């Protein structure tokens, strides 16, 4: 696994230290940025550019709210609301399409019934 080492190399100059728990708590923000960017929570769909746009959007919200004088409580509430809306929209899109595994299995059963 080379990726954790790469993360330390990239993160060390930013934080000026190389502790193990420096980025503790960023996991939720990473997942939120991906979901906001259109990455499916069920897996299989999404693009890197969408993830980057989601991270940019989340970063703009997190940096703009203190500038306009929003209290820290409402900053977290607004960020959480954006994440919840993104997840709901994502799940609504997944529900409409259906799971590919189940759809493929149903088509295979129909083809089998036609052949019999």
């Amino acid at each position: 696994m080379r990726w954790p080492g790469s993360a330390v190399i990239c993160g060390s100059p930013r934080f000026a230290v190389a502790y193990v728990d420096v980025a503790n708590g960023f996991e939720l923000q990473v997942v939120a940025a991906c979901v906001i960017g259109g990455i499916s929570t069920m897996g299989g769909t999404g693009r890197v550019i969408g993830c980057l746009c989601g991270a940019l959007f989340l970063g703009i919200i997190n940096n703009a709210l203190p500038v306009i004088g929003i209290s820290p409580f409402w900053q977290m509430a607004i960020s959480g609301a954006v994440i919840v809306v993104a997840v709901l929209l994502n799940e609504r899109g997944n529900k409409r399409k259906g799971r590919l595994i189940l759809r493929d299995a149903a088509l295979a059963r129909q083809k089998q019934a036609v052949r019999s």
Side-chain angles (χ1 to χ4, degrees), residues 3 5 10 16 45 51 60 63 78 82 86 98 105:
W3 297 112
C10 293
T45 60
C51 184
I60 288 171
N63 290 324
I78 291 170
V82 168

Side-chain angles (χ1 to χ4, degrees), residues 33-90:
C34 291
V35 171
I36 289 170
I39 305 295
S40 175
T41 55
M42 298 299 286
T45 60
R47 296 181 182 263
V48 174
I49 192 73
C51 184
L52 293 174
C53 289
L56 181 67
F57 179 74
L58 199 57
I60 288 171
I61 285 186
N62 287 337
N63 290 324
L65 292 177
V67 171
I68 59 175
I70 305 292
S71 73
F73 172 78
W74 287 109
Q75 290 174 24
M76 293 295 288
I78 291 170
S79 295
V82 168
I83 294 167
V84 168
V85 167
V87 168
L88 290 175
L89 290 175
N90 188 354

